[in-house]
Amino acid sequence: MNIEILLGKTTSHLVPLEGTKFLLNQKCLHDFLKLQRDAREAGFDLQMASAFRDYNRQLRIWNMKAQGEKPVFDDQGTQLDISLLSPKEIMFSILRWSAIPGCSRHHWGTDMDVFDARTQNASEVKLIPAECEGNGPASGLHSWLDSIMSQDAAYGFYRPYRTDRGGVAPERWHLSYHPVSRRIINDFTYSIFKKNLEESDLLLKTELLENAFELYERYFINIDLP
């Protein structure tokens, strides 16, 4: 697998989703459009809140959170005061909701965050659990996705962060195209993971490198399967 694809440093494998600003891996575009069409027939308007995200954008997100310029949240979605945390605690808090630059599944174009545009405006989407559960505006869409996935008819899409496995917090809104993403994650070895840390201009780099193997196992390859 092209290392530039793994790290989010190329768009050569991507195609635009017509009528939007989003880029997708060309191998999943057809099945996403089919899923979107079937959702519409079921009464939902399945749209993306995010899709491909390149390395530099992920780096900005990470560094802004590490220095307190962007909020960091706990498991309940409450903003943390990072001035009260050690560098290691800040690192683990960020990792519950944000990937290390170069290690985000959004780099591959196979993963996307979705919402129901029938009940939410894109500008209002926060991508928090309350939107997808109970009386949340996207709960109906996700119940429909549950039924589709349970029938093994989700056109290759599944939720890699369906349950809390002690790494990334559950993200019901996050879908991944398994036929391609499974091959990418299999090629993304620990040596690639560590080298990316060593060569990146990251804040909290010392803490990341000191805990590199745990982070690889707990936050990167520790996912739910279809």
Side-chain angles (χ1 to χ4, degrees):
M1 179 68 67
N2 185 329
I3 190 70
E4 299 293 294
I5 292 177
L6 300 185
L7 301 180
K9 296 184 176 181
T10 181
T11 59
S12 62
H13 56 305
L14 306 173
V15 293
L17 179 63
E18 186 176 357
T20 78
K21 63 182 179 181
F22 300 114
L23 298 174
L24 283 177
N25 191 299
Q26 57 186 343
K27 294 180 180 178
C28 75
L29 178 62
H30 176 270
D31 284 340
F32 177 77
L33 291 174
K34 185 177 180 183
L35 180 65
Q36 193 176 48
R37 183 174 62 249
D38 286 0
R40 188 176 302 112
E41 292 178 357
F44 307 102
D45 187 2
L46 188 153
Q47 297 293 337
M48 293 182 183
S50 67
F52 171 74
R53 187 182 307 135
D54 69 16
Y55 174 89
N56 287 330
R57 183 179 173 198
Q58 193 69 26
L59 179 64
R60 288 193 298 273
I61 292 171
W62 178 273
N63 284 346
M64 288 177 72
K65 288 190 173 186
Q67 57 194 359
E69 294 179 358
K70 195 174 179 65
V72 178
F73 299 99
D74 65 14
D75 288 1
Q76 288 71 47
T78 302
Q79 185 172 342
L80 296 168
D81 182 352
I82 66 169
S83 69
L84 303 177
L85 305 179
S86 68
K88 186 175 181 180
E89 290 172 331
I90 295 171
M91 176 192 71
F92 279 116
S93 296
I94 295 172
L95 283 166
R96 279 294 272 176
W97 298 104
S98 294
I100 298 166
C103 307
S104 171
R105 296 177 66 94
H106 284 283
H107 292 336
W108 311 336
T110 58
D111 287 52
M112 61 213 66
D113 301 324
V114 301
F115 70 102
D116 185 358
R118 181 179 58 91
T119 56
Q120 276 185 293
N121 293 323
S123 61
E124 299 172 345
V125 175
K126 297 179 180 178
L127 297 176
I128 57 175
E131 293 177 329
C132 307
E133 303 166 352
N135 295 321
S139 62
L141 169 65
H142 286 287
S143 293
W144 178 79
L145 286 170
D146 285 343
S147 67
I148 292 295
M149 291 176 184
S150 69
Q151 299 169 23
D152 195 28
Y155 321 107
F157 292 96
Y158 80 108
R159 295 188 181 96
Y161 305 124
R162 184 177 66 254
T163 62
D164 192 344
R165 301 172 60 88
V168 177
E171 296 185 351
R172 194 166 166 78
W173 54 83
H174 185 133
L175 304 184
S176 180
Y177 189 63
H178 189 247
V180 178
S181 63
R182 71 183 179 195
R183 295 202 300 271
I184 294 175
I185 201 167
N186 285 340
D187 288 345
F188 205 124
T189 62
Y190 173 65
S191 63
I192 293 173
F193 180 89
K194 188 175 182 183
K195 185 178 180 181
N196 171 66
L197 294 181
E198 293 169 342
E199 296 179 350
S200 294
D201 187 18
L202 283 162
L203 297 180
L204 303 174
K205 187 171 182 174
T206 298
E207 290 72 24
L208 288 163
L209 285 170
E210 287 176 349
N211 297 275
F213 188 69
E214 177 187 354
L215 302 184
Y216 177 75
E217 290 203 320
R218 181 176 170 188
Y219 292 94
F220 187 66
I221 62 173
N222 181 29
I223 57 172
D224 291 300
L225 297 175

